[in-house]
């Protein structure tokens, strides 16, 4: 098994409030460990954000298929401020799982996601 560290960045998302931006999708034959996510408000006023884990994986001892879960919901980020998601915690993503982000204002979040892919 190979472990590869990756960084995923975006400058100004989502394109419109209420239409989540897909930050990351786990590639085929890969398990991903999310190390951290930093979201920064680039707006001139406070925004709120939400991050979701979108999963439809099943099996592996689960009685039901996974669904969508919030990692953070309606979290405020002040002007020029940042929000670090998953501080000290890890989240595992399986093949096809996605991380999405939404913002109360279009094009006003910048972000950096750090992951380790296991293939």
């Amino acid at each position: 098994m190979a472990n590869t560290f990756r960084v995923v960045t975006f400058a100004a998302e989502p394109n419109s409030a209420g239409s989540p931006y897909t930050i990351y999708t786990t590639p085929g034959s890969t398990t991903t460990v999310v190390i951290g996510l930093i979201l920064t408000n680039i707006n001139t006023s406070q925004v709120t954000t939400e991050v979701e884990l979108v999963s439809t994986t099943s099996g592996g001892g689960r009685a039901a298929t996974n669904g969508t879960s919030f990692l953070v919901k309606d979290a405020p980020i002040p002007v020029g401020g940042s929000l670090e998601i998953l501080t000290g915690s890890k989240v595992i993503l399986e093949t096809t799982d996605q991380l999405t982000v939404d913002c109360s204002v279009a094009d006003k979040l910048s972000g950096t996601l750090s992951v380790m892919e296991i293939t």
Side-chain angles (χ1 to χ4, degrees):
M1 280 194 214
N3 296 337
T4 306
F5 289 97
R6 302 225 186 264
V7 64
V8 178
T9 63
F10 58 93
E13 295 295 343
N15 287 333
S16 64
S19 297
Y21 171 72
T22 301
I23 304 170
Y24 179 83
T25 301
T26 305
S29 302
T30 303
T31 299
T32 299
V33 179
V34 178
I35 298 168
L37 173 60
I38 300 170
L39 300 174
T40 302
N41 178 357
I42 57 174
N43 196 16
T44 56
S45 60
Q46 179 175 292
V47 299
T48 58
T49 187
E50 61 188 40
V51 177
E52 291 182 310
L53 167 55
V54 181
S55 178
T56 58
T57 54
S58 60
R62 289 182 285 256
T65 300
N66 285 340
T68 299
S69 63
F70 286 100
L71 300 181
V72 65
K73 174 113 171 91
D74 297 329
I77 305 176
V79 176
S82 295
L83 177 64
E84 186 172 352
I85 309 295
L86 306 171
T87 304
S89 300
K90 306 295 177 273
V91 172
I92 306 301
L93 305 179
E94 297 177 273
T95 299
T96 71
D97 287 352
Q98 296 180 331
L99 283 180
T100 65
V101 63
D102 203 355
C103 182
S104 57
V105 181
D107 301 323
K108 297 305 178 187
L109 280 182
S110 177
T112 302
L113 172 69
S114 298
V115 300
M116 181 180 65
E117 293 179 340
I118 304 167
T119 54

